[in-house]
Amino acid sequence: MNMTRSVRARFSCDDAAAACRAPCCGTLGRRGALAGIAATVLAPGLLAPAVGYAAAMPAGGRRIDIHHHFMPPEHIAREHAAARGFGHNLTPSQIATWSPARALEVLDSNGIATAIGSVSTPGVWTGKIDESRAIARAWNEYGARMVADHPTRFGLFAPIPLPDIDGSLAEIAYALDVLKADGIGLLSNYDGRYLGDPAFAPVFAELNRRRAVVYVHPTAAPCCAALMPGFQPQMVEFPFDTTRTVASLIYSGTTTKFPDLRFIFSHGGGALPMLAARIEEVGPKALAAQVPGGVRAQMRRMFYDTASATSAPALAAMRALLPVSQILFGSDYPFVAPAEAETGLAAAGLSAADLARIDRANALVLLPRLARL
């Protein structure tokens, strides 16, 4: 069967889904209850644009939101349970309110033309190879259906089942060749192993061969998620885990060996802008000597999104480390209202040209499909 037709058949919204008022609400046993939450509960401000910023956008929006989490309906219950077990303070409404229709409302209300869907922590890896491969495939086929239905409005960074190397290589081929995903989505560590781990080299070699875009979302390492009882890991651990994995990629030689990889890191690179000089100065000298142009130059080649990183201090640190060409608009919807990123950028004193690059132009360099559209 033609794969596009197969994906359409598997994920088309049927009459029952339409009846529950949440398009594509899937086959969950608690579908009605979750759809009711989705229809009636929405975090305050998710639809509200930043005053004077989204309003200046043309009808339909122009921003490309590089940090948008999609929620395949058949995995909403699993996602919520896994997030709770991981220690997140995520409410049912934050997860269950996502649907393509709701997302489109939010995009339209915030001047966003296109959102690139990706998976948040805990990702698709469960510790079981067959199960993780099946979950990755289901997420990616759902994402492909979403893009096929709305090709100008959605994109896909496809998750793969690392640390399963063979399964990851197979899913890369399927996601990029068959589903035509815009890139691959990874987490900052897998079972405590950071992305510069030599075991992951075959995956990065293949991604480098394809000149793939690699989107990296933080998670918490097994060692550290519960270091501070009562505090959620996203408060401190997520920013530091992004920083750890960037350092791992650079000092392992991964970014040198695979120069055609195009990495995007969430949340402004976490703590990286603040710690960049320290990482460069205190890092292993023998390894740093093998990095062309130096450690800082490698950091400045990567891309970083603005999700939860548009406060004045965060933006100042990003702009001190990075050229504007490496900064991408990101919202972290549905966990954060897009207006948060918009408000911060509007207050940052950026020129209209720099805002246009962050909002859209930089992303088009990375995502040729959207440029063609």
Side-chain angles (χ1 to χ4, degrees):
M1 178 183 293
N2 176 275
M3 183 49 59
T4 301
R5 290 177 57 196
S6 175
V7 174
R8 284 182 183 275
R10 184 170 180 180
F11 293 106
S12 292
C13 297
D14 58 16
D15 292 339
C20 77
R21 294 187 296 160
C24 293
C25 32
T27 57
L28 286 173
R30 290 180 288 173
R31 174 167 58 186
L34 287 171
I37 294 172
T40 59
V41 183
L42 189 65
L46 287 180
L47 290 173
V51 175
Y53 189 49
M57 289 287 161
R62 290 188 55 81
R63 288 188 197 92
I64 296 173
D65 184 356
I66 214 79
H67 189 151
H68 179 109
H69 297 305
F70 65 105
M71 303 287 173
E74 62 269 39
H75 289 287
I76 284 178
R78 171 192 172 268
E79 188 76 4
H80 182 57
R84 284 293 190 191
F86 192 73
H88 288 193
N89 186 28
L90 302 180
T91 67
S93 65
Q94 285 178 298
I95 292 175
T97 51
W98 191 93
S99 73
R102 176 66 73 174
L104 287 170
E105 290 180 27
V106 173
L107 302 189
D108 289 341
S109 297
N110 289 274
I112 297 170
T114 309
I116 312 301
S118 59
V119 175
S120 182
T121 185
V124 300
W125 176 249
T126 68
K128 300 176 181 178
I129 288 177
D130 290 343
E131 180 180 62
S132 300
R133 291 180 181 183
I135 293 171
R137 180 61 53 90
W139 279 75
N140 288 333
E141 289 188 337
Y142 181 86
R145 169 68 268 155
M146 188 173 68
V147 176
D149 284 344
H150 306 281
T152 66
R153 307 308 306 276
F154 292 116
L156 173 64
F157 290 143
I160 58 175
L162 273 180
D164 168 19
I165 301 301
D166 290 341
S168 294
L169 291 172
E171 197 60 27
I172 287 169
Y174 183 75
L176 297 182
D177 295 339
V178 179
L179 301 182
K180 306 301 182 183
D182 297 289
I184 296 298
L186 302 179
L187 296 181
S188 53
N189 83 79
Y190 292 89
D191 295 340
R193 296 157 69 186
Y194 287 89
L195 295 183
D197 192 303
F200 300 153
V203 169
F204 287 121
E206 175 60 12
L207 292 172
N208 184 73
R209 183 184 72 81
R210 293 171 174 272
R211 296 180 56 84
V213 174
V214 181
Y215 183 80
V216 182
H217 192 278
T219 186
C223 67
C224 307
L227 281 179
M228 299 187 295
F231 292 91
Q232 303 304 323
Q234 59 265 44
M235 182 181 79
V236 170
E237 283 307 313
F238 281 17
F240 281 110
D241 219 62
T242 293
T243 306
R244 292 184 191 108
T245 213
V246 171
S248 168
L249 285 164
I250 294 172
Y251 280 108
S252 68
T254 300
T255 57
T256 301
K257 186 182 296 183
F258 305 122
D260 291 329
L261 288 169
R262 292 170 294 166
F263 284 102
I264 304 171
F265 293 94
S266 303
H267 310 131
L272 184 71
M274 180 65 184
L275 297 179
R278 187 178 184 89
I279 291 169
E280 184 177 44
E281 293 165 4
V282 182
K285 299 302 182 186
L287 296 177
Q290 301 174 36
V291 178
V295 171
R296 191 86 60 96
Q298 293 295 312
M299 296 176 187
R300 289 168 58 86
R301 289 181 59 244
M302 299 170 179
F303 294 82
Y304 306 83
D305 76 42
T306 63
S308 299
T310 56
S311 67
L315 271 178
M318 284 178 69
R319 293 172 65 191
L321 174 65
L322 305 170
V324 170
S325 62
Q326 308 310 110
I327 303 174
L328 306 166
F329 179 85
S331 73
D332 212 345
Y333 177 81
F335 304 115
V336 179
E340 180 178 301
E342 295 160 6
T343 301
L345 287 170
L350 292 161
S351 69
D354 284 348
L355 277 175
R357 297 181 76 180
I358 293 169
D359 281 341
R360 182 176 179 86
N362 293 341
L364 290 179
V365 173
L366 291 173
L367 304 173
R369 178 182 70 85
L370 296 183
R372 289 193 297 271
L373 290 172

